[in-house]
Amino acid sequence: MAFKIAIFFTLAAFMNVGQGCETNQVDQLTARQGLDELLKEESYSSANNLWTTPYYYNYQPRTPLPGFANAYEGRTPLNRQQPNYFIKDEDSLPESRLFLGNIATNLIGSSLFNNRFSPANQFRPFANLLNRIPPNSANSRSAFDACTSPAGEAGICTMSSVCSLFAGRPSGSCSLSRVCCVNVVNGCGKTVTLNNTYWQSPATVSSPSNCALTIKLDAKLAEQSFKPICQIRLDMVSFTTAPPVAGTCADTFQVGGATTMAPTICGVNSGQHMYLNVPSSGVTPSDVQLMFNFAAGAATRSWNIKIAMLPCGADYLAPPGCLQYFTSATGRVSSFNWQDSATAQQLNNQNYNICFRTELVSSQPATLACLSVCQVANGGDAFYITTPAPDVADRRPTVGVTPAAAARAAAFAATLSAVETSFLDSAGTRTAVCLYDFLFIAGGRDANGIEADRYCGNALNPAPLPFAAAGSGGALTGPALGGSATSIQVCTPVKPFKITYKTDGTEAAVAVSAPTASVIATADTGNTGFCLDFQQR
Ligand SMILES: *[C@@H]1O[C@H](CO)[C@@H](O)[C@H](O)[C@H]1NC(C)=O
């Protein structure tokens, strides 16, 4: 090893890629010690199988019941893809003339080491690490196991000297006298290669400006060589940007490079999360970019986003197509930028699935997922997805409508629930209801079995819309003219449990324009999105 590192440095000096080693003597020494410890850690690793360690039983306490497999629970360790660590493409890489091979050149290029061993592109102590790590994924109780600090932050288990090498913060301990090493990257333009790294805003954010982070996923990186990665989970520990204007984000947060289409978000998103799929890093390296663009103008802009890299085949991956995924029997789900505040707005152009793992309830798989609006205390509105057409009442015939129903109809504009895609008024005009903006709950029903799947308006309730009954001469009829001012619990038996949220690109009125809009919609005002408490039964 020392010999090879020496060869590398000799070559590096010859080729003038380094700028002299004198400045790095201390780093070299520390790195060497750290490297030895890192490799020592590997010596016990083969005794531990990832899928049978108590750690993973803690993470996933329940073994699936026999015959209890659906799209979500069907993921077992047996399904996981085997990595291909030895992708031999040295011939195509000019760097391989350093005799360190493709793996090493990738390591050398990894910004992890750039960040640590500044100035960049000089000393790369782990360059040859993979020559010493057994390329067997069963030996994957690695130097980079996940852990949680006493303060609840996620980290990775390493020897303390390795933690300081990675510029991490030791916070709590792991087994085998390792520390739980919490990794933080501040500011813009950095690259992350370590699991459970926190990306935090720089001390000051100017505007207009942008701030991006690259997540490099490549099984040829030493710190990712133990398990190929198929998914990233972003946890917005905190997240504040300028609010949207009429639902459109002025400041934007976007994700690039993942196969999951993540919506553009802004505003306040603390506590939210996203799952992002990538092709297996053992087969196809990916760069996933997280990018803030800040519009001109002052606003609070700060964030702390935890980036977890999830191994292919793990049973805690989100199912395909789920931007959000909940794995508890009860909890809270809200749309991006939903806040308990009178001014927070629903975001435009949302389009994603929120999935719920089927949990065991009293030792049986849940048969229902139930949703009810969150309690609000500060003027927020827990369900307000569209503003029903203010002119719907005007277009209603007065014939056959009782005074109470007329009053109810007037209230329709502001406070009632709505379901279904569109509403045909007595004049024969079709107006969008839950067509452009809606929450979709397949099989959703109330306690009386009244059912609807598209929900919008200003209350969560499957109460039907009014309709013009045959032979009524166009008079609107239906239960109390339809809709309800009261939100109620809506449950669905349709598994896998999932809801879909969709909004269009505007809060303004929509005119009919082929081929994108077939039905008119009146303007939305004051929409807030949704906040729902879920409970499996
Ligand atoms: C990354 O950390 C998470 C815990 O936050 C863990 O579940 C996952 O297995 C770790 N990823 C890898 C590749 O070890």
Side-chain angles (χ1 to χ4, degrees):
M1 169 67 78
F3 176 67
K4 284 197 173 172
I5 287 179
I7 291 181
F8 171 64
F9 277 105
T10 314
L11 285 169
F14 258 96
M15 296 170 71
N16 205 18
V17 294
Q19 298 165 11
C21 293
E22 317 79 54
T23 52
N24 273 335
Q25 267 164 9
V26 176
D27 272 353
Q28 286 180 32
L29 213 80
T30 329
R32 188 56 225 256
Q33 285 161 357
L35 180 59
D36 286 346
E37 274 159 23
L38 188 69
L39 296 172
K40 235 187 283 159
E41 287 181 72
E42 283 318 298
S43 59
Y44 61 75
S45 67
S46 55
N48 295 283
N49 182 303
L50 164 68
W51 301 104
T52 56
T53 53
Y55 172 81
Y56 277 85
Y57 281 128
N58 291 340
Y59 197 96
Q60 265 300 333
R62 298 184 198 91
T63 27
L65 299 176
F68 173 46
N70 61 25
Y72 290 15
E73 290 84 7
R75 294 158 171 269
T76 67
L78 298 176
N79 294 346
R80 70 201 168 111
Q81 207 159 354
Q82 289 306 310
N84 179 3
Y85 291 107
F86 295 107
I87 303 164
K88 292 274 184 201
D89 53 355
E90 279 104 19
D91 291 347
S92 62
L93 284 175
E95 294 87 344
S96 66
R97 64 179 174 269
L98 293 179
F99 303 111
L100 294 174
N102 190 19
I103 287 170
T105 49
N106 273 281
L107 283 172
I108 292 161
S110 108
S111 70
L112 166 70
F113 306 117
N114 280 340
N115 291 345
R116 176 59 189 90
F117 301 102
S118 56
N121 300 322
Q122 288 191 355
F123 179 53
R124 301 289 175 265
F126 297 159
N128 210 16
L129 180 59
L130 285 203
N131 290 355
R132 299 264 305 265
I133 295 173
N136 177 349
S137 67
N139 301 337
S140 47
R141 174 66 179 261
S142 74
F144 300 99
D145 267 350
C147 56
T148 306
S149 78
E153 301 150 304
I156 48 174
C157 293
T158 62
M159 302 300 279
S160 65
S161 55
V162 175
C163 184
S164 56
L165 260 184
F166 283 83
R169 168 164 47 85
S171 314
S173 54
C174 293
S175 60
L176 301 156
S177 61
R178 296 175 299 172
V179 296
C180 185
C181 185
V182 175
N183 300 286
V184 173
V185 164
N186 285 92
C188 315
K190 306 274 176 62
T191 299
V192 165
T193 60
L194 275 184
N195 195 15
N196 293 330
T197 300
Y198 290 82
W199 181 30
Q200 297 179 353
S201 39
T204 54
V205 177
S206 59
S207 68
S209 70
N210 59 50
C211 187
L213 182 83
T214 302
I215 305 166
K216 201 173 249 314
L217 300 174
D218 188 342
K220 294 196 250 19
L221 297 170
E223 64 274 31
Q224 292 177 15
S225 62
F226 306 96
K227 298 166 211 161
I229 291 154
C230 278
Q231 208 167 61
I232 293 172
R233 178 180 160 123
L234 303 179
D235 275 287
M236 287 45 168
V237 179
S238 65
F239 183 117
T240 304
T241 71
V245 178
T248 297
C249 288
D251 284 0
T252 58
F253 173 79
Q254 287 168 290
V255 173
T259 53
T260 303
M261 292 297 295
T264 298
I265 61 167
C266 60
V268 175
N269 291 297
S270 306
Q272 296 281 9
H273 71 268
M274 288 184 186
Y275 283 87
L276 307 172
N277 282 316
V278 290
S280 168
S281 68
V283 178
T284 313
S286 300
D287 279 357
V288 173
Q289 298 91 33
L290 309 184
M291 162 97 94
F292 284 97
N293 270 290
F294 300 113
T300 302
R301 290 160 174 132
S302 72
W303 64 91
N304 181 7
I305 300 175
K306 188 185 102 179
I307 299 158
M309 301 170 180
L310 308 182
C312 301
D315 53 5
Y316 46 84
L317 295 186
C322 303
L323 184 79
Q324 296 196 310
Y325 184 46
F326 291 90
T327 56
S328 58
T330 60
R332 179 165 281 195
V333 54
S334 61
S335 49
F336 291 105
N337 195 43
W338 186 87
Q339 298 163 60
D340 184 1
S341 117
T343 54
Q345 293 171 0
Q346 161 170 275
L347 302 182
N348 290 338
N349 291 320
Q350 304 293 289
N351 186 358
Y352 59 91
N353 292 317
I354 302 163
C355 305
F356 304 85
R357 189 178 66 187
T358 303
E359 302 298 320
L360 297 182
V361 176
S362 311
S363 310
Q364 294 298 318
T367 54
L368 284 179
C370 297
L371 299 158
S372 50
V373 294
C374 308
Q375 292 285 328
V376 291
N378 302 306
D381 195 331
F383 194 93
Y384 198 9
I385 292 182
T386 58
T387 312
D391 62 344
V392 164
D394 300 342
R395 284 201 232 110
R396 288 177 178 175
T398 47
V399 185
V401 177
T402 63
R408 192 82 189 265
F412 193 89
T415 58
L416 293 194
S417 66
V419 293
E420 301 179 19
T421 52
S422 63
F423 169 86
L424 185 62
D425 72 17
S426 57
T429 304
R430 193 166 278 286
T431 303
V433 184
C434 310
L435 180 61
Y436 301 120
D437 296 354
F438 59 86
L439 185 67
F440 188 86
I441 311 171
R445 64 197 61 174
D446 68 10
N448 300 317
I450 307 225
E451 197 165 329
D453 49 18
R454 284 175 182 242
Y455 293 80
C456 66
N458 195 191
L460 177 71
N461 196 311
L465 290 175
F467 56 90
S472 71
L476 295 170
T477 169
L481 278 181
S484 168
T486 314
S487 288
I488 55 171
Q489 189 171 59
V490 170
C491 298
T492 176
V494 176
K495 291 205 243 181
F497 299 134
K498 165 175 110 164
I499 59 179
T500 301
Y501 182 47
K502 159 92 173 59
T503 63
D504 67 0
T506 181
E507 294 288 76
V510 175
V512 172
S513 78
T516 49
S518 57
V519 175
I520 62 158
T522 50
D524 286 317
T525 50
N527 293 171
T528 57
F530 63 87
C531 174
L532 301 170
D533 289 323
F534 62 84
Q535 184 189 21
Q536 294 190 19
R537 294 196 185 149

